[in-house]
Amino acid sequence: DPNGRAILQLAVISEQRQASDKEIRELRSTLETNAADSEAFTRLLNVYASIGETNKSRDIVEKGLKTFTNEP
């Protein structure tokens, strides 16, 4: 049934998006606590890219550049 398949696909996409939103909240919280957590910065950028939210990643890149410019 094509309609049933479409509904199932939408449910899967919704579930994936909810998981991404949760991860985004957790990573942002981590960065509020430790702005120099490069792993959290990288993961947050990857999550935004995976869900097509590249516009939100610009702010993260700017913060990362400010934070990590003087890193060895």
Side-chain angles (χ1 to χ4, degrees):
D1 175 21
N3 289 332
R5 193 176 339 183
I7 291 171
L8 180 59
Q9 287 174 332
L10 288 174
V12 168
I13 290 168
S14 175
E15 189 174 307
Q16 290 171 338
R17 181 60 192 242
Q18 288 175 1
S20 293
D21 289 346
K22 180 181 179 197
E23 187 172 9
I24 288 168
R25 285 191 303 275
E26 291 170 353
L27 290 166
R28 284 188 165 275
S29 176
T30 297
L31 291 171
E32 286 176 15
T33 303
N34 180 9
D37 187 332
S38 62
E39 186 175 319
F41 267 105
T42 302
R43 183 68 192 133
L44 186 56
L45 288 170
N46 287 333
V47 172
Y48 277 138
S50 74
I51 61 173
E53 296 283 350
T54 54
N55 58 328
K56 292 183 180 180
S57 65
R58 284 187 210 125
D59 293 336
I60 303 302
V61 169
E62 288 178 19
K63 288 179 183 178
L65 288 172
K66 289 177 186 174
T67 302
F68 299 110
T69 300
N70 295 322
E71 291 285 316

